[in-house]
């Protein structure tokens, strides 16, 4: 008769379900009950991250679609000089929509519902391409819009004579081209790190190089974007201080541009925090050595930290992607006026539709009432003037 070893969770106050079977082999834990409680806490944080991401990134996608719904009709009616600025607002909304879709694919569909399989999963690679590409398109549109504002206010001759609409279109194409060129190889190699594929990318081969390249590209792009936006914002603030009393109408437009640029800088700072800090934390943890299931059980508090960082990262991104199109609509007077006109038009259409529906039913009701009145009059006539005997005989 074989002797069954006692469970390491025998002294715990409650049963932890299937988790006990997973970590039963981790017999070197000094306090297995506390470790299990921390692991359950990390699972709870991960579930909060999943469901909040599902809701918030869906809202972010809808907000960017609404921003495009407002901007595209407005863009067709603008003059060429005005189109130079608003093309990058449209680019921002497209990038925000792609980023929201990428987050939903990676975090809420792939990682939650589909286990990594052998070979490159096309959906996972596509999500990574959308995610990485949207970052560069978003940053490129931020920098380009800041450049448009700088040239339009401080260098009007260059803005009017040399910066044509065709040049702006070429700049947009270059932004998307660079984003595609950078995102596709990085996405493939990052997928090969997470999933066993024919392209071997292990800790001893390409993994450190790919991680380093991606880190320097993203960090460098964020730093350059922050520097350019800060420079343009300071330049516009100084310009407003000098010419504050000269032209009230121009000052109003300048104030709107400064507010929009200030929000853009704040959004980039948020994205920088959401990208760099979790990335650095995860890299430090990865270089700590070989990590097994029992390692996480013995250091369960670190699982809570990683789950919390993942929640913070997704929350920062979702807030930035929700607020960015909303701020674009609110702070820009032309866009805000277009949104109000669309809301007013929708209200009028709904009112006319309601009038049409109620008018149809009221006419139908009126006809039925007229029929009832006619029937009542006929009945009263027959009661007052009964038919003659010869009429009855004929009947």
């Amino acid at each position: 008769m074989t002797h069954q070893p006692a469970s390491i969770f025998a002294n715990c106050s409650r049963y932890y379900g299937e988790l006990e079977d997973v970590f039963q082999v981790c017999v070197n834990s000094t306090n297995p009950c506390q470790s299990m409680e921390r692991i359950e806490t990390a699972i709870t944080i991960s579930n909060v991250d999943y469901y909040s991401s599902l809701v918030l990134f869906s809202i972010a996608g809808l907000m960017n679609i609404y921003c495009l719904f407002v901007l595209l009709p407005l863009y067709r009616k603008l003059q060429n000089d005005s189109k130079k600025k608003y093309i990058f607002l449209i680019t921002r909304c497209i990038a925000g929509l792609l980023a929201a879709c990428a987050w939903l694919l990676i975090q809420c569909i792939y990682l939650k519902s589909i286990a990594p399989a052998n070979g490159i999963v096309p959906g996972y690679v596509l999500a990574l391409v959308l995610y990485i590409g949207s970052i560069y398109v978003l940053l490129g549109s931020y920098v380009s819009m800041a450049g448009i504002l700088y040239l339009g206010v401080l260098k009007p001759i260059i803005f009017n004579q040399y910066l044509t609409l065709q040049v702006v279109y070429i700049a947009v194409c270059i932004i998307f081209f660079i984003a595609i060129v950078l995102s596709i190889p990085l996405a493939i190699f990052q997928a090969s790190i997470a999933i066993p594929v024919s392209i071997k990318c292990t800790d001893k081969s390409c993994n450190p190089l790919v991680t380093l390249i991606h880190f320097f590209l993203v960090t460098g792009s964020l730093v350059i974007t922050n520097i350019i936006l800060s420079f343009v914002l300071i330049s516009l603030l100084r310009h407003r201080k000098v010419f504050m009393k000269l032209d009230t109408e121009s000052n109003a437009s300048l104030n709107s541009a400064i507010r929009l640029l200030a929000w853009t800088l704040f959004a980039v700072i948020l994205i920088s925090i959401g990208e760099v800090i979790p990335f650095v934390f995860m890299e430090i943890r990865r270089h700590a050595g070989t990590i097994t299931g029992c390692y996480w059980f013995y250091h369960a508090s670190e699982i809570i930290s990683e789950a919390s960082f993942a929640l913070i990262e997704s929350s920062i991104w979702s807030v930035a992607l929700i607020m960015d199109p909303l701020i674009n609509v609110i702070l820009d007077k032309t866009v805000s006026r277009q949104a109000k006109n669309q809301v007013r038009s929708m209200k009028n259409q709904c009112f006319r539709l309601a009038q049409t529906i109620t008018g149809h039913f009221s006419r139908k009701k009126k006809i039925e009432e007229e029929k009832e009145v006619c029937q009542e009059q006929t009945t009263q006539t027959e009661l007052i003037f009964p038919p003659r005997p010869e009429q009855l005989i004929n009947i």
Side-chain angles (χ1 to χ4, degrees):
M1 182 176 179
T2 60
H3 176 70
Q4 294 291 337
S7 173
I8 61 174
F9 306 105
N11 296 326
C12 296
S13 58
R14 66 186 186 85
Y15 177 62
Y16 294 99
E18 295 180 355
L19 290 175
E20 290 191 5
D21 298 331
V22 174
F23 296 106
Q24 181 65 38
V25 296
C26 305
V27 294
N28 295 326
S29 175
T30 57
N31 194 339
C33 301
Q34 184 182 54
S35 298
M36 191 64 73
E37 289 177 358
R38 290 175 177 176
I39 289 174
E40 284 197 333
T41 301
I43 293 174
T44 302
I45 296 173
S46 299
N47 288 331
V48 171
D49 184 17
Y50 167 70
Y51 290 109
S52 62
S53 297
L54 182 64
V55 174
L56 293 177
F57 285 112
S58 298
I59 295 174
L62 293 175
M63 289 300 302
N64 283 279
I65 291 174
Y66 171 72
C67 186
L68 291 173
F69 176 73
V70 174
L71 285 172
L72 291 177
L74 173 65
Y75 185 78
R76 290 195 293 266
K77 297 184 292 185
L78 293 174
Q79 300 295 327
N80 286 347
D81 286 343
S82 299
K83 286 183 177 180
K84 297 175 188 177
K85 170 187 173 183
Y86 289 98
I87 183 62
F88 291 111
L89 286 181
I90 294 174
T91 307
R92 286 170 68 165
C93 292
I94 294 174
L97 179 60
L98 293 177
C101 293
W103 271 96
L104 287 173
L105 283 173
I106 293 175
Q107 186 158 344
C108 299
I109 296 178
Y110 177 78
L111 294 180
K112 187 69 177 181
S113 304
I114 307 173
N118 291 332
I120 292 179
V121 178
Y124 187 46
V125 176
L126 175 62
L128 288 175
V129 170
L130 289 177
Y131 175 66
I132 299 172
S134 64
I135 293 177
Y136 293 115
V137 173
L138 201 60
L139 296 179
S141 63
Y142 287 159
V143 172
S144 300
M145 195 192 70
I148 291 289
L149 293 175
Y150 180 82
L151 294 176
V153 175
L154 301 176
K155 307 290 182 181
I157 297 177
I158 297 177
F159 180 83
N160 293 321
Q161 294 184 1
Y162 299 102
L163 188 65
T164 63
L165 187 60
Q166 288 74 17
V167 173
V168 175
Y169 285 148
I170 292 173
V172 173
C173 294
I174 291 174
I175 290 173
F176 277 95
F177 176 76
I178 293 175
I180 292 172
V181 169
L182 292 177
S183 61
I184 291 178
L186 286 174
I188 293 175
F189 280 109
Q190 284 192 9
S192 66
I193 293 172
I195 306 171
V197 292
S198 57
I199 301 176
K200 301 299 181 182
C201 194
T202 62
D203 291 337
K204 295 182 179 179
S205 57
C206 71
N207 188 352
L209 180 61
V210 172
T211 303
L212 186 64
I213 292 174
H214 181 59
F215 175 76
F216 276 111
L217 285 174
V218 173
T219 306
S221 301
L222 290 170
V223 170
I224 293 172
T225 303
N226 278 289
I227 293 174
I228 293 175
L229 292 178
S230 300
F231 170 76
V232 174
L233 181 60
I234 293 172
S235 300
L236 293 181
L237 288 172
R238 293 178 61 184
H239 179 79
R240 184 181 65 175
K241 184 178 180 180
V242 174
F243 296 95
M244 186 174 293
K245 299 180 181 180
L246 296 181
D247 189 350
T248 305
E249 184 177 354
S250 298
N251 284 332
S253 301
L254 181 59
N255 290 334
S256 176
I258 289 174
R259 287 193 296 267
L260 182 60
L261 194 59
W263 157 252
T264 303
L265 179 60
F266 178 69
V268 174
I269 293 174
L270 277 181
I271 293 174
S272 302
I273 294 173
E275 278 295 305
V276 175
I277 294 179
F279 182 87
V280 172
F281 177 83
M282 295 297 290
E283 282 303 303
I284 293 174
R285 174 51 46 213
R286 188 177 67 83
H287 287 291
T290 304
I291 296 176
T292 63
C294 285
Y295 174 89
W296 293 120
F297 186 72
Y298 301 146
H299 304 82
S301 58
E302 295 181 6
I303 303 181
I304 298 178
S305 300
E306 296 205 6
S308 300
F309 270 110
L311 176 60
I312 292 171
E313 181 183 11
S314 62
S315 299
I316 289 174
W317 264 102
S318 60
V319 170
L321 294 177
I322 290 173
M323 294 301 297
D324 192 56
L326 184 62
I327 296 297
N328 289 336
V329 173
I330 294 174
L331 294 185
D332 192 287
K333 291 185 177 181
T334 305
V335 180
S336 178
R337 193 181 306 114
Q338 172 72 8
K340 291 178 181 178
N341 291 336
Q342 286 184 340
V343 171
R344 192 179 300 112
S345 176
M346 292 178 64
K347 285 182 179 179
N348 293 334
Q349 290 179 0
C350 293
F351 180 72
R352 286 195 295 268
L353 179 62
Q355 278 186 328
T356 303
I357 295 174
T358 55
H360 173 74
F361 284 109
S362 62
R363 285 195 300 269
K364 185 176 180 181
K365 185 177 180 180
K366 186 176 181 181
I367 292 172
E368 292 177 353
E369 289 177 351
E370 289 177 353
K371 288 181 179 180
E372 292 178 358
V373 171
C374 291
Q375 290 177 357
E376 290 178 357
Q377 290 177 351
T378 303
T379 304
Q380 291 177 359
T381 303
E382 292 177 352
L383 292 174
I384 297 172
F385 303 101
R388 296 177 182 179
E390 55 270 21
Q391 291 177 334
L392 293 173
I393 293 172
N394 292 332
I395 293 174

